[in-house]
Amino acid sequence: MTGTLSEEDLETHFERTIARDQRIEPRDWVPEGYRKTMVRQIAQHAHSEIIGMQPEGAWITRAPSLRRKAILLAKVQDEAGHGLYLYSAAETLGADRADLTQKLIDGKQKYSSIFNYPTLSFADVGVIGWLVDGAAICNQVPLCRSSFGPYARAMIRICKEESFHQRQGYELLMTMMRGTPAQREMVQDAVNRWWWPSLMMFGPPDHDSPNTERSMAWKIKRHTNDELRQRFVDMSVPQAEALGVTLPDPDLKWNADRGHYDFGEIDWSELKRVISGDGPCNAERVERRRKAHEDGAWVREAAAAYAAKRRESA
Ligand code: BYC
């Protein structure tokens, strides 16, 4: 079918599909720029889910009760599942999973800046659930309407699981806030450390975001980085009040004219530093991923050998 159509016809068909708000599917012709952008975003997202297992995974052996351990194990396993759906979505665009993993390990592809910060106390597990998963939901709910079908569908399931993650984090923090003064201090300290990095998860400000315009035109992104960041701030302030913690921003205040909370200037040089590999835990995170990949080589080889044997005997 595509063989009989010119590149121009294919391009027109693609643009019309986007304009009608219909989904692009793996069988459809797409411009090379769209394919590259989608692979870039999906791969970064998949890498974030996989690397994102590390900061919380570090607390599985130190969880304070069997209940907390079971919850944390389930959550970290969910993140692995999200990574796997996303790598599968990238494969529908012709990307190769082994190649993507290699690019992550070689520092040629990015993952979310947020996972380059250390988890210093168990309160961090709660704050990651509340703020980091909360920011992820804010960013990802609109991606359920993203123009690329396999990505949008993966997002629906991921968002459902992220909602559970966010609630478990908030419930953990509520419990700690009802505890001793030392526990309340731990929560406040974790909020102080994670608030600003959570705002950075939404990416650079719109005037410094080279990909937004194109991705919005292709309906990959439905909102700009700043729009989603504002939504997250507006959502988080009443949640912080209900929890009884202070968000570490003296400029945070309701602006009746805008109908939004104003907030302080984000340290964009920190985001740049962390993205470029120089955050507090970048080297450790990538090294751990490299080792896990190498240690798992025998499993991949065994699975491939078994599949080949099955094919031969079929
Ligand atoms: N960190 O032009 P821009 C989770 C990069 S995991 C690192 O605005 P775009 C969870 C950006 O990629 C959820 N890099 O880009 C897991 C671009 O670089 P390149 C993770 C960042 O794509 C475990 C450059 O900066 N979520 O929830 O239009 C436990 C310029 O940016 C960051 C996703 O992956 C950053 N924060 O917009 C718990 C969401 N920000 O590639 C929880 C999917 C920007 O041009 N991704 N960069 O070299 C997106 O929605 C978009 O890609 C972004 C960036 C909003 C992140």
Side-chain angles (χ1 to χ4, degrees):
M1 174 72 180
T2 54
T4 60
L5 295 174
S6 69
E7 179 112 341
E8 220 179 309
D9 293 337
L10 292 166
E11 182 104 42
T12 307
H13 179 71
F14 169 80
E15 293 296 346
R16 274 200 198 132
T17 307
I18 299 279
R20 286 184 192 135
D21 252 335
Q22 286 168 346
R23 292 271 158 79
I24 304 292
E25 295 297 339
R27 62 171 182 266
D28 295 332
W29 179 93
V30 294
E32 191 48 22
Y34 181 90
R35 198 188 73 80
K36 275 199 178 131
T37 298
M38 252 358 290
V39 170
R40 176 185 67 81
Q41 178 161 331
I42 298 175
Q44 283 183 14
H45 195 158
H47 298 330
S48 303
E49 301 282 357
I50 298 296
I51 295 274
M53 294 164 75
Q54 293 186 34
E56 289 175 282
W59 281 93
I60 291 173
T61 54
R62 294 175 289 165
S65 69
L66 184 58
R67 177 170 177 266
R68 293 291 170 200
K69 191 192 283 268
I71 293 171
L72 187 53
L73 262 174
K75 179 185 192 286
V76 172
Q77 259 177 0
D78 283 352
E79 310 299 358
H82 299 172
L84 298 184
Y85 313 145
L86 288 164
Y87 284 125
S88 300
E91 282 174 333
T92 70
L93 287 156
D96 176 68
R97 188 180 303 216
D99 177 52
L100 298 180
T101 302
Q102 199 56 49
K103 284 189 171 125
L104 166 70
I105 291 169
D106 292 343
K108 290 183 184 148
Q109 276 181 352
K110 297 185 169 78
Y111 59 91
S112 182
S113 52
I114 194 76
F115 302 116
N116 292 306
Y117 294 85
T119 38
L120 303 181
S121 79
F122 197 70
D124 290 32
V125 170
V127 171
I128 290 179
W130 172 38
L131 294 179
V132 174
D133 289 286
I137 292 168
C138 222
N139 167 265
Q140 287 167 202
V141 166
L143 292 175
C144 296
R145 293 187 299 115
S146 184
S147 57
F148 188 56
Y151 189 46
R153 288 189 288 275
M155 276 309 122
I156 294 171
R157 173 140 183 205
I158 290 176
C159 284
K160 282 188 183 152
E161 292 179 351
E162 297 291 13
S163 301
F164 153 73
H165 296 171
Q166 204 233 5
R167 277 152 192 255
Q168 70 78 36
Y170 200 72
E171 188 265 344
L172 191 167
L173 296 177
M174 278 291 199
T175 307
M176 288 186 82
M177 290 303 282
R178 283 195 298 268
T180 63
Q183 283 175 308
R184 282 194 285 279
E185 261 172 49
M186 274 166 75
V187 174
Q188 184 60 60
D189 171 63
V191 170
N192 293 348
R193 286 182 286 107
W194 289 92
W195 173 248
W196 291 105
S198 298
L199 296 189
M200 293 175 200
M201 279 178 77
F202 294 91
D206 292 351
H207 63 82
D208 198 20
S209 164
N211 300 303
T212 291
E213 196 183 336
R214 195 60 268 186
S215 288
M216 297 273 288
W218 277 330
K219 297 186 183 169
I220 293 170
K221 283 168 86 164
R222 295 288 183 156
H223 303 279
T224 70
N225 300 354
D226 286 334
E227 283 166 7
L228 292 174
R229 191 170 6 253
Q230 180 71 62
R231 189 177 286 186
F232 175 69
V233 171
D234 292 347
M235 196 177 92
S236 302
V237 173
Q239 292 173 355
E241 280 165 8
L243 200 54
V245 294
T246 309
L247 295 173
D249 179 0
D251 297 324
L252 191 63
K253 59 174 179 300
W254 179 249
N255 181 328
D257 294 339
R258 291 202 310 122
H260 292 289
Y261 283 92
D262 288 338
F263 55 97
E265 187 58 29
I266 294 171
D267 180 357
W268 296 118
S269 64
E270 178 176 325
L271 177 65
K272 281 199 179 124
R273 213 171 43 246
V274 175
I275 289 181
S276 63
D278 199 17
C281 301
N282 294 58
E284 179 188 329
R285 300 286 187 244
V286 173
E287 173 51 24
R288 182 116 186 246
R289 181 71 195 96
R290 188 193 60 73
K291 187 169 184 313
H293 189 60
E294 279 174 19
D295 290 350
W298 70 271
V299 179
R300 294 189 296 279
E301 282 159 20
Y306 181 69
K309 210 163 115 187
R310 293 274 305 239
R311 263 197 311 275
E312 272 163 30
S313 61

